[in-house]
Structures are given as structure tokens and as C-alpha cells.
Amino acid sequence: YDGRTLERLVRARLAAEPENRVLTHHAHCALDYRCPTASNLFFRRWEGAVAVSPGCNARCIGCISKQDEEDLVSPQDRLLFVPTVDEVVAVGVAHLETAPDAIYSFGQGCEGEPLLQARLIEKAIQGIRARTDRGTLNINTNGSNPLSLQRLYAAGLDSIRVSTISARRTTYDAYYRPNGYTFAHVKRSLKLAREAGVYSAINLLCFPGLIDAEDEIAALVEFLRETGTQLVQLRNLNIDPEVLLPR
């Protein structure tokens, strides 16, 4: 991720497609936050980002794009608009057609919950797959809406990564503070992925003293068996213990 090369690539891409707000938004993420998946859009390689949702149905304690907690400042700006299907499709087709090991991922740290824009994503998947069958279409999500995900699976979504801090409902609720869904919805989303043949993973937020607790481990093992989740990706939860543990 050479910074000078990245700046040159971003300038050239924005000059060629100045009206595409998806590119403009992720140029900010690439240059100012050095986000790898945003940068990959301009390097035309690997997993590329696409943010679509300014809203969210959870209030995660460690949210990196919006904080309601007093005296806590989010480290990056959240997406402020909903892109059009055409904007999403244009960037997606270009990435999948040219990038080696191409993945186009809905659901980024610079947005809320992508499933709040499930219809947009469904139309975008259909539009992309009408133009190319290359690469992988992925969603990073809290898995809160199994019915919407079932539609995305049917539309051609290839893989899903669901974020969680725990397989225990009480721990999950304390961190995610879900609005309008439950942990049972999360499990259902992963079960449906297995039934649809969609590759499933979880992003497991790791915090010492929590992730290694015996009751947490036992619940996680049972959760993986029940849902058929195929991959566990460990994510270091960088958060002040004095903020997290009391909650």
C-alpha cells in the first residue's frame, strides 16, 4: 500500500468517473484512513469495499463510525448518503472484471448496517451478475434480517461475514444493543446461508477475559455447530476496558 502510488491511482480514477459518489466516498477512506478494502478499489485487487447504508439497527459500544456515548469520538466518518444502484453496479463490475482474487464487499466500517438497504443490494447483485460472473460478492453484516438475506442469497450473494462478540445472547445484547432484532435472527441468517450453499464466516470481536471465558467458549462451539459457520475470523477489539466492562 504505497501511499504515493495510491494517491496517483485515486486521482486518476476520480478524474475518469467524477460523478460516482461511491468512488468519491471510498477515496476519502483510502487516503485519510488508509482503509485496505477501500484502497483495493483503486489498486484494482483483492477485496474491494462498497458502503451503502448511513443507518444502523444496532448501537455497538465500540462503533467506529458513530458514537452516542458521552466523551467517546468515532475514529472515522460514516457514509451520509444512499448510493444509486447504477453507482454500486459500475464500481462492482469494474472491480470484479479486473482485480485478481476479486471480492466486492457490501458492509464497511464507514457505514451502518447494509441490510437496511437490502433492496438496493439485491438490485445491485442482479445488475452485476447480469454483466459478469467473475469474482465473489460478499456482505459484512450483523445478520439481523434473515428474510432480506434469503433474498440476497437467491439473487447471487456468494458469501457472508457476520459480526459478533459472543454466542451468548446476554453478552451480545450488552455490546450490540440491537434495535428491532434479536440474537435468534443472527443464528437464523447463518443457518439459511448454509441451506443456500452460501459461504459463511463470523467476525469474532476478541477481548481478553471475555473471549476466553469457559461459558463463552462453550456457547461459541455450540453456535458454530448449530449454524454450520465455516470460518471464524478473529478481530482484536481495541477498546478501553473501563468503557466496555461496566456495560
Side-chain angles (χ1 to χ4, degrees):
Y1 292 97
D2 179 74
R4 289 172 297 181
T5 301
L6 177 61
E7 290 179 13
R8 176 176 56 79
L9 293 172
V10 168
R11 286 197 302 269
R13 187 80 180 271
L14 294 184
E17 302 176 65
E19 302 301 320
N20 193 307
R21 295 174 298 167
V22 170
L23 285 176
T24 301
H25 173 77
H26 290 300
H28 167 55
C29 298
L31 295 177
D32 295 334
Y33 303 137
R34 288 297 190 262
C35 171
T37 48
S39 300
N40 285 341
L41 287 178
F42 301 96
F43 281 107
R44 294 183 183 269
R45 64 187 182 189
W46 313 331
E47 182 176 359
V50 54
V52 297
S53 177
C56 196
N57 56 356
R59 295 186 302 115
C60 301
I61 294 171
C63 182
I64 61 174
S65 64
K66 186 176 182 180
Q67 277 293 338
D68 297 326
E69 298 277 331
E70 186 178 354
D71 297 328
L72 293 183
V73 179
S74 56
Q76 61 190 51
D77 299 325
R78 179 173 288 189
L79 179 76
L80 296 176
F81 64 93
V82 177
T84 66
V85 172
D86 288 343
E87 287 173 319
V88 173
V89 169
V91 176
V93 170
H95 190 72
L96 296 175
E97 289 267 273
T98 59
D101 301 319
I103 303 173
Y104 194 46
S105 276
F106 301 93
Q108 302 297 317
C110 57
E111 66 176 315
E113 170 50 45
L115 289 179
L116 297 187
Q117 296 297 330
R119 290 302 178 94
L120 183 156
I121 295 174
E122 181 183 6
K123 292 177 181 178
I125 291 173
Q126 292 168 342
I128 291 169
R129 285 304 180 219
R131 295 171 60 180
T132 182
D133 60 359
R134 293 193 73 248
T136 297
L137 292 171
N138 174 70
I139 189 168
N140 302 306
T141 172
N142 59 25
S144 56
N145 193 328
L147 293 179
S148 289
L149 278 168
Q150 197 165 33
R151 293 179 64 95
L152 299 186
Y153 300 155
L157 189 72
D158 298 299
S159 65
I160 178 173
R161 284 192 292 241
V162 173
S163 172
T164 187
I165 194 173
S166 172
R168 298 176 67 239
R169 182 186 58 80
T170 52
T171 308
Y172 181 92
D173 287 352
Y175 179 80
Y176 280 84
R177 300 183 291 187
N179 180 19
Y181 76 95
T182 69
F183 189 62
H185 291 96
V186 178
K187 289 198 288 187
R188 178 65 176 158
S189 293
L190 286 166
K191 289 178 183 178
L192 289 173
R194 177 183 59 193
E195 294 171 8
V198 171
Y199 190 87
S200 61
I202 60 171
N203 277 343
L204 183 62
L205 305 180
C206 300
F207 188 85
L210 178 63
I211 184 65
D212 50 338
E214 288 188 9
D215 55 352
E216 292 286 342
I217 292 173
L220 177 62
V221 170
E222 177 58 30
F223 173 83
L224 296 174
R225 287 173 175 160
E226 182 181 354
T227 60
T229 301
Q230 294 162 278
L231 177 68
V232 177
Q233 295 181 297
L234 304 180
R235 299 288 186 244
N236 191 29
L237 180 59
N238 295 300
I239 192 169
D240 189 335
E242 294 182 4
V243 170
L244 178 70
L245 295 180
R247 290 158 176 79

